[in-house]
Amino acid sequence: MSLVKDLMTGEGLVSRLLPGKQSGLALAMKAFGLFGVPMLGWIRPEVVELDDERCRLRIRFRRRTRNHVGSMYFGVLCAGADLASGLLAVRHAAKVNERIGLIFKDVHGDFRQKVMGHCFFECRDGAAIAEGVRQADRTGERVNVPTRILVWAEGGSPDQPAAVFQLTLSLKDQSTSKAPR
């Protein structure tokens, strides 16, 4: 079993050796923030929940994440939305084919109110993302999956989000040419 699959699914030696339910995932996030996308290391998102159906993250409101008017910085909100749907895709790809690569094709953000404290990001499109990963693996073609991410301030509710993002995940098998099965 690969390290990515182990950390994303919690089914392997590393996950069994690390104490705590989310510790393997926390380690993966720190490594990704250090080596993959340094901005994520800077804002330090916390994975609150990750399963096959949804991903919920928390980003603390502090000097690093605040803008000049005292609310959560636009770039931090976008990074949280990116990560909420991206982690679901990586989780499903780790189970099917680790060579499935993902990028975001487009993004739309509807900002309904300022976020003035710690905030949560939640994507509940795990089933659609899983199907997209399976289709990309099966066909070898690029598959686009629209995702919706809700953002709300701590103490608030996902039923009344401060922002709603719609991102299109673009998934493709990065292996050499693959004939349809």
Side-chain angles (χ1 to χ4, degrees):
M1 174 179 283
S2 77
L3 182 60
V4 171
K5 185 172 184 176
D6 182 347
L7 294 173
M8 293 307 294
T9 63
E11 303 166 354
L13 180 62
V14 174
S15 295
R16 286 193 300 270
L17 291 175
L18 294 170
K21 182 180 176 188
Q22 296 287 344
S23 58
L25 197 50
L27 177 64
M29 285 296 303
K30 286 179 182 176
F32 189 60
L34 184 62
F35 301 110
V37 181
M39 182 182 173
L40 296 178
W42 179 253
I43 63 175
R44 293 190 295 196
E46 304 163 31
V47 178
V48 175
E49 182 177 346
L50 177 63
D51 59 34
D52 287 344
E53 296 302 316
R54 72 178 182 169
C55 177
R56 181 180 289 182
L57 307 172
R58 178 177 181 255
I59 296 180
R60 292 186 356 219
F61 186 64
R62 56 189 182 179
R63 187 186 62 77
R64 292 179 179 187
T65 60
R66 200 174 331 185
N67 64 19
H68 64 288
V69 295
S71 63
M72 186 72 73
Y73 176 58
F74 167 79
V76 172
L77 292 171
C78 290
D82 166 324
L83 198 55
S85 61
L87 278 176
L88 275 171
V90 171
R91 179 180 174 88
H92 288 293
K95 292 179 177 183
V96 175
N97 176 354
E98 292 179 12
R99 297 286 303 160
I100 299 289
L102 71 101
I103 58 172
F104 290 97
K105 182 178 178 186
D106 59 39
V107 61
H108 172 81
D110 179 18
F111 301 96
R112 300 175 179 183
Q113 58 188 338
K114 289 181 183 177
V115 176
M116 305 292 285
H118 307 320
C119 65
F120 293 95
F121 298 79
E122 184 174 88
C123 180
R124 302 174 186 164
D125 295 323
I129 292 169
E131 178 53 35
V133 166
R134 286 190 298 271
Q135 185 179 350
D137 180 53
R138 187 175 58 250
T139 66
E141 299 294 319
R142 183 165 299 284
V143 176
N144 295 320
V145 180
T147 63
R148 184 169 184 251
I149 298 90
L150 304 174
V151 182
W152 69 95
E154 198 167 60
S157 164
D159 297 327
Q160 295 182 338
V164 178
F165 284 90
Q166 295 175 11
L167 284 77
T168 301
L169 270 171
S170 187
L171 306 163
K172 186 170 188 335
D173 187 340
Q174 300 298 311
S175 304
T176 56
S177 180
K178 191 172 192 178
R181 295 181 189 160

